[in-house]
Amino acid sequence: MLTHFTPSSDITGGPWYTDQEMDMDFIEQISNQCYNMIRAYSFPQHNPGSIYSADHAKYATAAKVRSFIMDNGISQVDLSVDHIEQLLNMLVYDGKIERLSPTHDVSAGFESANKQSSWMYRAVREVTKESPLTDIPCGRCPVANRCTASGDVSPVTCVYLSKWLSY
């Protein structure tokens, strides 16, 4: 028996499978930790409502996320940067994070040759509706300043408001 060989991840399914079944709990736990770490790097700590400037270069990379996961003992399974990139791609497709263009080495004048640190990721700010009134057509109406109860433009005759109310 060849016990010193490790089977290919094509056969075992890699770290995402346990006993030939996809371990959805493990994937969800690790992807949530990846998202939380990226969100922490995405917005200034002193003012979470603001955003970084366009030249900010300290967003999380797949290598940083992997170091965070492994250094904090979040996963007992040894995950590679490629495994982390699979999770980050899933988060990109879910609309939770976005991938930013590769970093540039300003002093050398060329893109970073290190593939592991080339893409940066930042969290997408969640948009919540605070009230159903935020969708009212009056807020976007170009003639709202002329709208009166007895005028030519009025809530009684407004087609957009009627359509919104009937929805």
Side-chain angles (χ1 to χ4, degrees):
M1 213 156 174
L2 303 172
T3 58
H4 60 281
F5 287 114
T6 304
S8 168
S9 64
D10 294 337
I11 295 170
T12 63
W16 315 126
Y17 286 83
T18 304
D19 299 328
Q20 285 79 32
E21 289 190 25
M22 185 172 271
D23 193 348
M24 294 304 294
D25 291 333
F26 177 66
I27 294 170
E28 185 175 337
Q29 176 191 12
I30 300 300
S31 64
N32 284 339
Q33 292 297 325
C34 291
Y35 174 70
N36 290 336
M37 188 265 190
I38 289 171
R39 191 176 60 205
Y41 274 76
S42 297
F43 307 111
Q45 298 296 322
H46 63 279
N47 188 1
S50 65
I51 59 173
Y52 285 118
S53 64
D55 62 349
H56 181 71
K58 295 189 179 182
Y59 289 112
T61 63
K64 283 184 188 177
V65 174
R66 182 195 178 276
S67 295
F68 172 78
I69 297 291
M70 302 313 293
D71 293 347
N72 290 308
I74 295 170
S75 172
Q76 302 304 319
V77 178
D78 186 27
L79 299 172
S80 69
V81 173
D82 289 335
H83 295 133
I84 297 298
E85 284 179 347
Q86 290 174 359
L87 292 177
L88 297 179
N89 285 335
M90 180 183 74
L91 292 171
V92 168
Y93 298 141
D94 287 346
K96 293 183 175 185
I97 65 172
E98 59 187 1
R99 185 182 351 204
L100 303 175
S101 63
T103 59
H104 295 275
D105 186 350
V106 178
S107 62
F110 58 89
E111 279 189 21
S112 172
N114 184 357
K115 179 192 177 293
Q116 292 180 353
S117 65
S118 62
W119 292 105
M120 295 185 298
Y121 299 88
R122 71 174 169 201
V124 174
R125 193 172 301 279
E126 297 174 10
V127 178
T128 58
K129 291 185 178 179
E130 297 175 7
S131 165
L133 297 177
T134 57
D135 289 336
I136 193 166
C138 301
R140 296 184 302 263
C141 183
V143 292
N145 59 345
R146 295 188 296 173
C147 186
T148 61
S150 61
D152 291 337
V153 180
S154 73
V156 176
T157 61
C158 181
V159 177
Y160 303 112
L161 185 60
S162 299
K163 185 177 179 182
W164 181 75
L165 288 172
S166 66
Y167 182 70

